[in-house]
Amino acid sequence: MQTLIWILVFLLTFGIMEFMAWFTHKYVMHGFLWSLHKDHHHKDHGSWWERNDFFFIFYALVSIGCFLLWQYENVWVGLPIGLGIFAYGVAYFMVHDIFIHQRFKLFRNANNWYAKGIRRAHKIHHKHLGKEEGECFGMLAPPLKYFKK
């Protein structure tokens, strides 16, 4: 029973992270911290690193904090929450940074319905270079309209 609860907390955390990614992207990245995110929409430098990558570091630190709570403070829920945040971060990195933006040249030939839908949604998001008038702020679960032909 305990294992089932840990798995449910992990899956719930992973799912909540999609909402957190959407919320953070729409209201923080395209809001008061646009200065860190704008180089992702309009590259103004020649570096592989973007100021936008600080958001990834923030969530990594939250995940590490959960692991530390579990390890040193005996807060059992820290482990499945930390793992859920970590797993979402890996999935986000694989889809957003590797698959969509090709920061590493992998998954270039993925062409199934999900891959096409994710690409369409992200392309629509990036057609806006400014912080206003954006759309489709989620990552792994964009609106269904992007999966239709």
Side-chain angles (χ1 to χ4, degrees), residues 50-115:
E50 297 177 352
R51 289 180 298 275
N52 183 65
D53 293 330
F54 281 111
F55 294 105
F56 181 78
I57 292 170
F58 170 77
Y59 281 111
L61 291 173
V62 172
S63 180
I64 291 167
C66 291
F67 293 139
L68 294 174
L69 278 174
W70 166 70
Q71 181 68 36
Y72 295 108
E73 300 298 327
N74 203 26
V75 178
W76 73 268
V77 78
L79 181 61
I81 290 175
L83 288 172
I85 294 169
F86 172 75
Y88 186 86
V90 168
Y92 188 99
F93 181 75
M94 299 276 293
V95 170
H96 182 263
D97 292 293
I98 296 177
F99 174 66
I100 292 173
H101 289 289
Q102 290 290 302
R103 286 176 91 174
F104 299 98
K105 305 303 180 200
L106 302 169
F107 309 125
R108 297 178 120 187
N109 298 324
N111 214 17
N112 59 55
W113 70 271
Y114 180 74

Side-chain angles (χ1 to χ4, degrees), residues 124-141:
I124 292 298
H125 177 74
H126 274 273
K127 80 177 184 178
H128 304 286
L129 297 179
K131 77 181 216 177
E132 286 86 20
E133 300 178 11
E135 56 186 288
C136 196
F137 292 94
M139 175 50 53
L140 301 179

